[in-house]
Structure formats: C-alpha cells, structure tokens
Coordinates of all heavy atoms in Angstrom, one line a residue:
R1 N -16.8 9.3 -9.4 CA -17.4 8.5 -10.5 C -16.4 8.6 -11.6 O -16.2 9.6 -12.4 CB -18.7 9.2 -11.0 CG -19.8 8.9 -10.1 CD -20.7 7.9 -10.7 NE -21.7 7.5 -9.7 CZ -22.0 6.1 -9.6 NH1 -21.4 5.3 -10.4 NH2 -22.9 5.8 -8.7
I2 N -15.6 7.5 -11.7 CA -14.6 7.3 -12.8 C -14.8 6.0 -13.3 O -15.5 5.1 -12.8 CB -13.2 7.5 -12.3 CG1 -12.8 6.5 -11.2 CG2 -13.0 9.0 -11.7 CD1 -11.3 6.6 -10.8
D3 N -14.0 5.6 -14.4 CA -14.1 4.4 -15.0 C -13.5 3.4 -14.0 O -12.5 3.5 -13.4 CB -13.1 4.3 -16.2 CG -13.1 3.0 -17.0 OD1 -13.7 2.0 -16.4 OD2 -12.6 3.0 -18.1
Q4 N -14.4 2.3 -13.7 CA -14.0 1.3 -12.6 C -12.7 0.6 -13.0 O -12.0 0.1 -12.1 CB -15.1 0.4 -12.4 CG -16.3 1.0 -11.8 CD -17.4 0.0 -11.4 OE1 -17.1 -1.2 -11.3 NE2 -18.6 0.5 -11.3
N5 N -12.3 0.6 -14.2 CA -11.0 -0.1 -14.6 C -9.9 0.7 -14.1 O -8.7 0.2 -14.2 CB -11.0 -0.2 -16.1 CG -12.0 -1.2 -16.6 OD1 -12.3 -2.2 -16.0 ND2 -12.6 -0.9 -17.8
N6 N -10.1 2.0 -13.7 CA -9.0 2.8 -13.2 C -8.8 2.6 -11.7 O -7.9 3.2 -11.1 CB -9.2 4.3 -13.5 CG -9.1 4.5 -15.0 OD1 -8.3 3.9 -15.7 ND2 -9.9 5.5 -15.4
I7 N -9.6 1.8 -11.0 CA -9.5 1.6 -9.6 C -8.8 0.2 -9.4 O -9.3 -0.8 -9.9 CB -10.8 1.6 -8.9 CG1 -11.5 3.0 -9.1 CG2 -10.8 1.3 -7.5 CD1 -12.9 3.1 -8.7
V8 N -7.8 0.2 -8.7 CA -7.0 -1.0 -8.4 C -6.9 -1.2 -6.9 O -6.5 -0.3 -6.2 CB -5.6 -1.0 -9.1 CG1 -4.8 -2.3 -8.8 CG2 -5.7 -0.8 -10.5
S9 N -7.2 -2.4 -6.4 CA -7.1 -2.7 -5.0 C -5.6 -2.9 -4.7 O -4.9 -3.6 -5.4 CB -7.8 -4.0 -4.7 OG -7.5 -4.4 -3.4
A10 N -5.2 -2.2 -3.6 CA -3.8 -2.3 -3.2 C -3.5 -3.4 -2.2 O -2.4 -3.6 -1.7 CB -3.3 -1.0 -2.6
G11 N -4.6 -4.1 -1.8 CA -4.4 -5.2 -0.8 C -4.1 -4.7 0.6 O -4.5 -3.7 1.0
N12 N -3.3 -5.5 1.3 CA -3.1 -5.2 2.7 C -1.9 -4.2 2.8 O -0.8 -4.7 3.2 CB -2.8 -6.5 3.5 CG -2.6 -6.3 4.9 OD1 -2.7 -5.2 5.4 ND2 -2.2 -7.4 5.6
T13 N -2.1 -3.0 2.5 CA -1.0 -2.0 2.6 C -0.6 -1.7 4.0 O 0.6 -1.4 4.3 CB -1.3 -0.7 1.8 OG1 -2.6 -0.2 2.4 CG2 -1.6 -1.0 0.4
A14 N -1.5 -1.8 4.9 CA -1.1 -1.6 6.3 C -0.2 -2.6 6.8 O 0.8 -2.4 7.5 CB -2.4 -1.6 7.2
G15 N -0.5 -3.9 6.5 CA 0.5 -5.0 6.9 C 1.8 -4.9 6.2 O 2.8 -5.1 6.8
A16 N 1.8 -4.5 4.9 CA 3.1 -4.3 4.2 C 3.9 -3.2 4.8 O 5.1 -3.3 5.0 CB 2.8 -4.1 2.7
G17 N 3.2 -2.1 5.1 CA 3.9 -1.0 5.8 C 4.5 -1.3 7.1 O 5.6 -1.0 7.5
A18 N 3.7 -2.0 7.9 CA 4.2 -2.5 9.2 C 5.4 -3.4 9.1 O 6.4 -3.2 9.8 CB 3.1 -3.2 9.9
S19 N 5.4 -4.3 8.1 CA 6.5 -5.2 7.9 C 7.8 -4.3 7.4 O 8.9 -4.7 8.0 CB 6.2 -6.2 6.8 OG 5.2 -7.1 7.2
M20 N 7.5 -3.4 6.6 CA 8.6 -2.6 6.1 C 9.3 -1.8 7.3 O 10.5 -1.8 7.5 CB 8.2 -1.6 5.1 CG 7.8 -2.2 3.8 SD 7.0 -1.1 2.6 CE 8.2 0.2 2.4
A21 N 8.5 -1.3 8.2 CA 8.9 -0.6 9.3 C 9.7 -1.4 10.3 O 10.6 -1.0 10.9 CB 7.8 0.2 10.1
L22 N 9.2 -2.7 10.5 CA 9.9 -3.6 11.4 C 11.2 -4.1 10.9 O 12.2 -4.3 11.6 CB 9.0 -4.8 11.6 CG 7.8 -4.6 12.5 CD1 6.9 -5.7 12.5 CD2 8.2 -4.3 14.0
L23 N 11.3 -4.2 9.5 CA 12.5 -4.8 8.9 C 13.6 -3.7 8.5 O 14.7 -4.1 8.1 CB 12.1 -5.7 7.7 CG 11.2 -6.8 8.1 CD1 10.7 -7.5 6.8 CD2 12.0 -7.8 9.0
S24 N 13.2 -2.5 8.4 CA 14.1 -1.5 7.9 C 14.1 -0.2 8.8 O 13.1 0.4 8.9 CB 13.7 -1.1 6.4 OG 14.4 0.1 6.0
L25 N 15.3 0.1 9.2 CA 15.5 1.3 10.1 C 15.1 2.5 9.2 O 14.5 3.5 9.7 CB 16.9 1.4 10.6 CG 17.2 2.6 11.4 CD1 16.3 2.7 12.7 CD2 18.6 2.6 11.9
K26 N 15.5 2.5 7.9 CA 15.3 3.6 7.0 C 13.7 3.9 6.9 O 13.2 5.0 7.0 CB 15.9 3.4 5.6 CG 15.6 4.5 4.6 CD 16.2 4.1 3.3 CE 15.7 5.0 2.3 NZ 16.2 4.6 0.9
E27 N 13.0 2.8 6.7 CA 11.6 2.9 6.5 C 10.9 3.3 7.9 O 9.9 4.1 7.9 CB 10.9 1.6 6.0 CG 11.4 1.2 4.6 CD 11.0 2.3 3.6 OE1 10.0 3.0 3.7 OE2 11.7 2.4 2.6
R28 N 11.4 2.8 9.0 CA 10.9 3.2 10.3 C 11.1 4.7 10.5 O 10.2 5.4 11.0 CB 11.5 2.3 11.4 CG 10.8 2.4 12.7 CD 11.2 1.4 13.7 NE 12.6 1.0 13.8 CZ 13.2 -0.1 13.3 NH1 12.4 -1.0 12.8 NH2 14.4 -0.4 13.4

C-alpha cells in the first residue's frame, strides 16, 4: 500500500531483455 503515483509500468521487459540477449554477447 503506497502512493499509486509511485508505481510505473515497465512494459514488455521480458521482450526487451530477450532482444538484448539476442543482440549483445555481453548481455547474453
């Protein structure tokens, strides 16, 4: 229970992480 203004949707983080892993050896 916190101020709802402090909650921000991060969107499709799984998709972003998968893309990073596919495109970057360092991230993988």
Side-chain angles (χ1 to χ4, degrees):
R1 284 256 170 223
I2 61 172
D3 183 350
Q4 291 186 24
N5 293 322
N6 291 328
I7 299 174
V8 179
S9 173
N12 185 4
T13 56
S19 295
M20 291 168 60
L22 288 170
L23 298 172
S24 168
L25 179 59
K26 178 183 171 187
E27 295 300 331
R28 191 165 44 251

